[in-house]
Amino acid sequence: MTLPQPSEPKPNTSHNDAGHAVPRLLIVDDQASVHHAFREVFAARTRNLDLEADEAILFGDNASSASQNTSCPQDPAPRLDFAFQGEEAIDWVNTLADTGTRYDLAFVDMRMPPGINGEETIRRLWETDPDLHIVCCTAYSDDDLSEVMQRLGRPDQLVLLKKPFDPAEARQLTAALVEKHDLRNQARLHVVHLEATNRELKNQIKRRGEAEARLRYQASHDTLTGLYNREAFDQHLARCFETAQCNPDYHFAVLYIDLDNFKVVNDTLGHTAGDRLLSTVGKRLQDSLRPSDSVAKTAGNIAARLGGDEFVVLLDGLSHPDDAAAVADRLLTTVSGPNRINGLDLQIQISIGVAACDHHCTHHDDVLCHADLAMYRAKENGKNNRAVFDDEMHAKHHERINLLSDLQTAIDTHAINVVYQPIIDLHSGNMVAAEALARWDRPGHGPVSPATFIPVAEQSGLIVPLGDAVLRIACQQLIAWRRNASPNIPKAVSVNVALRQFLQRDFVDKLADLLAEFDIQPNELRIELTESTVMDQTVDIQRILHAVRHLGIQIYLDDFGTGYSSLSTLHKFPIDVLKIDQSFMRAVETDPRHAAIVKTITDLAHHLEAAVVIEGVEDIAQANSVIRWGCDYAQGFHYSRPQPASAYGLDQSPINRAA
Ligand code: C2E
Ligand code: CA
Ligand code: CA
């Protein structure tokens, strides 16, 4: 810690050759002989001085013996300044004060005609140096000075000495008063230091307090909008929930707000424009929640940004839970509206999910979750809209939670089954591989369609253990089939892999481990990735694709034609086979021109040295068509529905051979 230098009183003393501090005295007397006498008293006190003549004035008859007896060779001789008149003494003190030093002691005669007397002199000396110690010298013949002393005050700084005085007494008095003055100065220096330290400590405490307040603010606020952040919101929400548990008359609600089409702004106008849009929304929300505003008057209402384009509002202390919807309606008008960004008038639109804390909520998170679900309903209902969480949404939500729980159990207990659907070589009519498809017989509910449980698994992350389980079962099945000599055995399996599964850091290692563990040749295993997985631009899909290819495992691009892939970027990806989605087969039924599209896609795939599987071939007519269009492989109910593994290798083949 560095302390500022205080404006400390400079020591009055310089030092002599021996290093002793030299006191500085001022002698104020109108008689030169007195000056001389003082000089002698404080000069070489070890010498045998002939002081009688002068000292007699001051000290009377026993002067010289006293001066010898009290000699003190260690004490430095003081430095003396002399004044004949009070005014002159004041000049001395002023001059010294200008240099920042002070006298240790002044001897002041009481009568100094023709100038000001001792009393006035002392008073004026104290005006310049209030700490000055003064010995007031009077003759024995002078009147009683007690009244003067009383008038002057400061009894601790003023000593009376009657002339003639003993030299030893004078020196002792001087030594004592100089020491006292010195100690007083030191004490004052300490006080100055302590005060400076104290000031600095106070400053530090203040600065630390400010820094802590800043940190607290940063920890609880979103930097972009200045609104509360997720953590702070969570704390507020938890407090409201606690209050609601204790007080049935207390109501609160959460509004979950999501910007409509924010991604479009971010993608087309850039992140800076996106940030400005978010700031505007934050400000409008904040303004709408001021107690002075009519939208939501309670001071406890807060707005927060959870991240991205998601905002929340906590309506604290509603008179009735239904009031929350009215607040949402008002926010739709106050927050939505035009906003000029990059010279463009952008229309801000929001979707709001409304959820009050009700008997369905067992934890404060539930209120937020309900508001989130309601927000999705608002989006489904056409955006720029609000939806209130209701019993029907609650039932659906509950069902989803139960479904996830049952699905988790099914994965843990190996209750997920896999069926296989043949992929037919259209040139030979032979089965070249089979696609592995997950099946789940949910206890108490019967078979659940993958179209139902796969999306739920994808959203929740359960798709990772589920997909890994299917991969493993398919590999096990492949080697089990090897022991069967029948020609109706798939020689390879093709397994669907979801984006989240594909993005696991160790996905490629897992594939390699499976090949090694089951002693499978890489060309016996294929993975199917949907078009949207491959086109996902947020991560380095290409790198993983190449790593899979490097293992020798073929990559199928699934559901081709349903996503947004641009044909021009297709060549960038290491794709072996393009699976044309079954919706094209359906479309040809209604509009024969779709046949041309399938043919074009097939030609394009061939140019890119990829083969084509056409999905959804359901009858002989379609089977003949796909051969004509130049497709290489086909899959569909016409050849076989997905079958359990046990159906393969039997004499009765599951495959209706291609025409
Ligand atoms: P997909 O990968 O496109 O699988 C083909 C789907 O088309 C299968 O539906 C299959 O039964 C059906 N299908 C086959 N031929 C025909 C036909 O001629 N006509 C009609 N109408 N449908 C046909 P499924 O088994 O219900 O699977 C649905 C989707 O679930 C799959 O579509 C796939 O995306 C997903 N899925 C299934 N198992 C898994 C899995 O283990 N992992 C992942 N990630 N997804 C899976
Ligand atoms: Ca597939
Ligand atoms: Ca497909």
Side-chain angles (χ1 to χ4, degrees), residues 435 496 528 530 557-560 579-582 615 635:
E435 178 177 1
N496 294 289
E528 297 195 7
T530 63
L557 187 58
D558 205 0
D559 301 348
F560 187 79
K579 289 188 88 170
I580 299 177
D581 190 69
Q582 53 174 280
E615 294 184 288
Q635 205 178 332

Side-chain angles (χ1 to χ4, degrees), residues 417-439:
N417 295 314
V418 178
V419 294
Y420 301 87
Q421 185 178 34
I423 298 173
I424 308 298
D425 181 341
L426 289 172
H427 302 295
S428 65
N430 292 332
M431 170 170 58
V432 288
E435 178 177 1
L437 294 159
R439 290 292 177 267

Side-chain angles (χ1 to χ4, degrees), residues 448-504:
V448 183
S449 163
T452 304
F453 71 82
I454 293 287
V456 177
E458 280 176 338
Q459 282 159 19
S460 66
L462 271 186
I463 193 68
V464 175
L466 173 72
D468 285 356
V470 173
L471 248 177
R472 192 171 183 81
I473 295 169
C475 289
Q476 271 167 339
Q477 190 54 54
L478 206 56
I479 53 164
W481 275 328
R482 269 195 207 147
R483 290 191 285 271
N484 193 316
S486 163
N488 293 322
I489 290 295
K491 301 288 182 294
V493 281
S494 180
V495 182
N496 294 289
V497 173
L499 178 63
R500 277 168 98 149
Q501 192 189 354
F502 185 68
L503 292 181
Q504 294 171 95

Side-chain angles (χ1 to χ4, degrees), residues 44-333:
R45 278 162 288 155
T46 48
R47 277 185 291 133
N48 188 6
L49 299 169
D50 177 18
L51 299 171
E52 274 105 80
D54 294 325
E55 288 184 355
I57 305 166
L58 281 171
F59 316 123
D61 296 336
N62 55 358
S64 64
S65 62
S67 87
Q68 283 167 37
N69 293 342
T70 57
S71 68
C72 181
Q74 293 89 347
D75 283 349
R79 181 173 164 184
L80 304 179
D81 292 322
F82 297 93
F84 287 94
Q85 290 291 296
E87 307 277 5
E88 195 188 342
I90 292 157
D91 284 348
W92 270 114
V93 171
N94 279 329
T95 311
L96 209 61
D98 287 347
T99 66
T101 51
R102 300 186 200 159
Y103 284 105
D104 292 276
L105 186 61
F107 287 85
V108 180
D109 187 21
M110 288 312 286
R111 291 166 191 237
M112 295 176 284
I116 54 171
N117 66 12
E119 183 183 346
E120 180 61 15
T121 305
I122 291 169
R123 187 170 290 116
R124 302 246 319 256
L125 288 178
W126 276 343
E127 279 173 17
T128 303
D129 182 356
D131 296 327
L132 184 61
H133 280 71
I134 293 177
V135 179
C136 188
C137 302
T138 66
Y140 269 105
S141 55
D142 285 348
D143 303 333
D144 182 13
L145 289 179
S146 55
E147 274 185 28
V148 175
M149 301 280 280
Q150 215 160 20
R151 278 201 300 278
L152 285 168
R154 310 190 192 208
D156 61 323
Q157 282 175 248
L158 194 60
V159 175
L160 200 63
L161 192 63
K162 293 245 179 188
K163 292 190 274 191
F165 46 78
D166 185 84
E169 195 186 341
R171 279 198 292 270
Q172 276 176 350
L173 185 67
T174 303
L177 289 176
V178 166
E179 170 92 3
K180 184 183 167 208
H181 188 245
D182 199 36
L183 288 174
R184 200 166 151 155
N185 265 339
Q186 284 180 22
R188 182 163 297 128
L189 260 173
H190 273 112
V191 170
V192 169
H193 271 291
L194 283 175
E195 279 173 358
T197 309
N198 194 26
R199 260 197 312 279
E200 173 60 15
L201 282 175
K202 276 186 180 158
N203 274 339
Q204 280 191 0
I205 290 168
K206 188 167 163 240
R207 282 200 298 271
R208 181 171 298 180
E210 286 166 357
E212 279 173 4
R214 252 197 320 277
L215 280 178
R216 264 201 308 279
Y217 181 86
Q218 283 164 0
S220 59
H221 286 76
D222 168 50
T223 22
L224 179 65
T225 58
L227 298 180
Y228 282 110
N229 61 17
R230 182 184 283 274
E231 289 75 27
F233 180 81
D234 195 63
Q235 284 169 14
H236 280 97
L237 188 61
R239 269 200 294 278
C240 289
F241 187 76
E242 261 173 42
T243 312
Q245 297 309 100
C246 313
N247 178 4
D249 295 328
Y250 169 82
H251 304 290
F252 76 95
V254 168
L255 309 183
Y256 205 113
I257 300 160
D258 190 279
L259 265 64
D260 295 337
N261 308 321
F262 176 69
K263 198 175 175 317
V264 178
V265 174
N266 237 3
D267 290 351
T268 53
L269 299 180
H271 287 270
T272 315
D275 283 357
R276 282 179 54 197
L277 193 74
L278 293 173
S279 303
T280 305
V281 171
K283 192 174 175 315
R284 287 183 185 176
L285 264 181
Q286 189 76 293
D287 290 348
S288 310
L289 292 180
R290 294 230 163 90
S292 58
D293 189 90
S294 57
V295 174
K297 283 185 180 156
T298 321
N301 295 335
I302 60 158
R305 178 172 168 239
L306 299 186
D309 61 341
E310 292 183 354
F311 295 84
V312 274
V313 165
L314 180 63
L315 298 175
D316 176 12
L318 291 168
S319 10
H320 192 279
D322 292 349
D323 293 351
V327 177
D329 287 340
R330 299 296 301 269
L331 286 184
L332 278 173
T333 52

Side-chain angles (χ1 to χ4, degrees), residues 623-659:
N624 287 332
S625 298
V626 298
I627 292 172
R628 264 203 321 283
W629 298 335
C631 300
D632 307 283
Y633 306 99
Q635 205 178 332
F637 295 168
H638 169 63
Y639 311 102
S640 166
R641 289 188 175 255
Q643 301 280 347
S646 56
Y648 291 85
L650 300 174
D651 287 343
Q652 277 309 95
S653 163
I655 308 165
N656 309 315
R657 294 180 67 88

Side-chain angles (χ1 to χ4, degrees), residues 376-451:
Y376 276 103
R377 176 61 61 85
K379 293 247 183 220
E380 283 164 19
N381 291 350
K383 301 184 176 177
N384 198 26
N385 213 322
R386 59 104 173 140
V388 181
F389 187 76
D390 56 18
D391 285 350
E392 181 227 319
M393 278 186 226
H394 183 258
K396 270 198 166 172
H397 176 55
H398 217 67
E399 167 51 23
R400 188 174 181 271
I401 290 174
N402 288 339
L403 183 106
L404 274 175
S405 164
D406 289 356
L407 185 58
Q408 175 80 66
T409 308
I411 296 165
D412 294 346
T413 57
H414 307 287
I416 296 294
N417 295 314
V418 178
V419 294
Y420 301 87
Q421 185 178 34
I423 298 173
I424 308 298
D425 181 341
L426 289 172
H427 302 295
S428 65
N430 292 332
M431 170 170 58
V432 288
E435 178 177 1
L437 294 159
R439 290 292 177 267
W440 178 30
D441 197 357
R442 187 180 175 196
H445 292 78
V448 183
S449 163

